[in-house]
Amino acid sequence: GRSLGKTNPLNDDDLKEFVEFQSTFRESERSWFFALKDVDPASFDLSVKNPNAPEDDPLREQEEILAEIADLDQESEEILAAIGEMLA
């Protein structure tokens, strides 16, 4: 949930849940297990997708987005026209 680096390293709070859960092998939204066979032996890349994370909302269809933009444009035109009438 935060950007880590040389000026913002891991700290004790970052590892608190890990230390607590490791003795019981408990899983959570931020900790989980996966089979060693699922790890690429060429790279040992552990940046797997978190299976416990909530799913993202599905993307909307392009037509739906364009229709919403058109509705918002129409609403903006009406507001600008009303403001123009007030200033006249």
Side-chain angles (χ1 to χ4, degrees):
R2 66 186 183 103
S3 180
L4 299 173
K6 187 172 18 175
T7 60
N8 193 18
L10 285 172
N11 59 44
D12 289 342
D13 286 339
D14 294 321
L15 299 174
K16 184 178 181 182
E17 181 182 277
F18 169 76
V19 171
E20 178 186 336
F21 287 7
Q22 77 147 63
S23 62
T24 60
F25 297 102
R26 184 171 155 202
E27 292 191 27
S28 76
E29 184 178 306
R30 297 185 311 185
S31 61
W32 62 93
F33 295 97
F34 55 92
L36 184 57
K37 67 179 178 56
D38 295 334
V39 178
D40 180 2
S43 66
F44 290 99
D45 182 8
L46 298 178
S47 60
V48 296
K49 183 176 186 232
N50 182 348
N52 299 331
E55 290 192 26
D56 294 333
D57 291 333
L59 297 176
R60 297 183 295 162
E61 294 295 324
Q62 294 172 349
E63 294 80 13
E64 180 184 350
I65 295 169
L66 290 173
E68 182 178 349
I69 291 171
D71 289 343
L72 291 171
D73 284 348
Q74 178 63 38
E75 185 179 337
S76 294
E77 277 185 43
E78 293 169 5
I79 292 170
L80 288 172
I83 292 173
E85 288 177 13
M86 286 185 218
L87 296 175

